[in-house]
Amino acid sequence: MSLFDHKVSDLHELLHKKELKVSDLVDESYKRITEVESKVQAFLTLDEERARQTAKALDEKISTDAAKGLLFGMPIGVKDNIVTKDLRTTCASKILENFDPIYDAAVVQKLNQAETVTIGKLNMDEFAMGSSNENSGFKKTHNPWNLDRVPGGSSGGSAASVAAGEVLFSLGSDTGGSIRQPAAFCGVVGLKPTYGRVSRFGLVAFASSLDQIGPITRTVEDNAYLLQAISGLDPMDSTSANVDVPNFPGSLTGDVKGLKIAVPKEYLGEGVSESVRQSVLDALKVLEGLGAVWEEVSLPHSKYALAAYYLLSSSEASANLARFDGVRYGYRTPNADNLLDLYKNTRAEGFGDEVKRRIMLGTFALSSGYYDAYYKKAQKVRTLIKQDFENVFEKYDVIVGPTTPTPAFKIGENIDDPMTMYANDILTIPVNLAGVPGISVPCGFDSGLPLGLQIIGKHFDEATIYRVAHAFEQATDYHNQKPQL
């Protein structure tokens, strides 16, 4: 039995009883990486020397008997678009192949304060653009449940590393479903917090009004501990919200009696596979048995979410990625005779196809003569989608549906079909457009591949989402299943 089969709270107790050392946890992580990384390929960079030094220092500290935080000594993986001081951060792009940041992201600072141990940086779709992890500039990560399948994206490395037992938990980022979708494909727990709950300072921006950093873990309880550690106001991020951070682990009461659940008919309609639909209906029966009630509702503007999202996110990406020009940092082309060639050739050689595709779409949507027709209209649709959620939340506590329309698809199956690939996020995108929180928890299997249940809450009400997710988790056994690598 791996040490990582234990919950964080159990490991914390063993550390305090001196029955376990931080070095043991770090050893376990690198031992597992040695065993399975050649198959899974979740990591881009390992930080073994510094991790072992940190573990040694924490072991000396714990011998003083002073009380330590719950995340003390816990090994963690960090998505490679979250900057880490003196640890390579590439966004899985050739254009940042040799970039070593000079500061830590706000969430990394908080992890350092909580005294976690960073094991390494995790693979992703380039600049977080993708739903399968096939758009990485360096390697393809494989789904631990079936190595022929994608782990989901863009936080595919983050989800696969947890599912494969390489780390206890990881951080991902979610712009249109990039935490929840790979969590569903890999059979783990992934939360996208409310926009503004977690600082974006040090997260390399894809679409600034949509991006959120969040935790990926094996259990809901561990997820709540990690969100607790990374939440809060940050003066370095103007979109960081000045709201209280509740005691998330304290909300895991298991009591959902009288809770009112909304089930959007749009989330169980065309395009959703029968196995996914049935797993959600079975999950609703479980929650009914625990005392919750559910009703079908409508989120009528959901059908426009995909189009609005790709216009808005690509527009923001075209502005955000303009900084990668070969002048200040990152890759610089050797094939340039003048400044214009420097810009053009650096970007042509440094960016992958999907990034170029989105920059072109975004630049078009923002250009003179098209701005009102596309970008402005997409912003208006975004407001309507947000109002749909607000209307439902006037009567209901949470919204429940599937995380993805199908289980994980085969590597290479959709790579030449961008529209099919984009549709993989059709159930997660509305949550980002509205800025509300959502979590994916394991809720079944189809031919040995995990399926995810998505629970969506009101703004800054992650506590209720956790309560429902934890109650469901405790009443089922899906979270205890592990891939046989």
PDB file of all heavy atoms in Angstrom, residues 140 373 467:
ATOM      1  N   LYS A 140       3.435  14.084 -24.916  1.00  0.00           N
ATOM      2  CA  LYS A 140       2.021  13.801 -24.660  1.00  0.00           C
ATOM      3  C   LYS A 140       1.916  13.031 -23.340  1.00  0.00           C
ATOM      4  O   LYS A 140       2.598  12.027 -23.149  1.00  0.00           O
ATOM      5  CB  LYS A 140       1.408  12.962 -25.781  1.00  0.00           C
ATOM      6  CG  LYS A 140       1.205  13.712 -27.093  1.00  0.00           C
ATOM      7  CD  LYS A 140       0.599  12.786 -28.143  1.00  0.00           C
ATOM      8  CE  LYS A 140       0.250  13.546 -29.406  1.00  0.00           C
ATOM      9  NZ  LYS A 140       1.409  14.071 -30.123  1.00  0.00           N
ATOM     10  N   ALA A 373     -19.433  43.028 -33.926  1.00  0.00           N
ATOM     11  CA  ALA A 373     -20.147  41.843 -34.415  1.00  0.00           C
ATOM     12  C   ALA A 373     -19.780  40.584 -33.640  1.00  0.00           C
ATOM     13  O   ALA A 373     -20.616  39.685 -33.486  1.00  0.00           O
ATOM     14  CB  ALA A 373     -19.845  41.640 -35.897  1.00  0.00           C
ATOM     15  N   ARG A 467     -19.595  20.191   0.564  1.00  0.00           N
ATOM     16  CA  ARG A 467     -20.507  19.400   1.414  1.00  0.00           C
ATOM     17  C   ARG A 467     -21.223  18.332   0.581  1.00  0.00           C
ATOM     18  O   ARG A 467     -21.320  17.160   0.982  1.00  0.00           O
ATOM     19  CB  ARG A 467     -21.518  20.348   2.076  1.00  0.00           C
ATOM     20  CG  ARG A 467     -22.480  19.675   3.029  1.00  0.00           C
ATOM     21  CD  ARG A 467     -23.045  20.669   4.036  1.00  0.00           C
ATOM     22  NE  ARG A 467     -23.751  21.768   3.408  1.00  0.00           N
ATOM     23  CZ  ARG A 467     -25.076  21.800   3.196  1.00  0.00           C
ATOM     24  NH1 ARG A 467     -25.823  20.785   3.581  1.00  0.00           N
ATOM     25  NH2 ARG A 467     -25.643  22.851   2.639  1.00  0.00           N
TER      26      ARG A 467
END
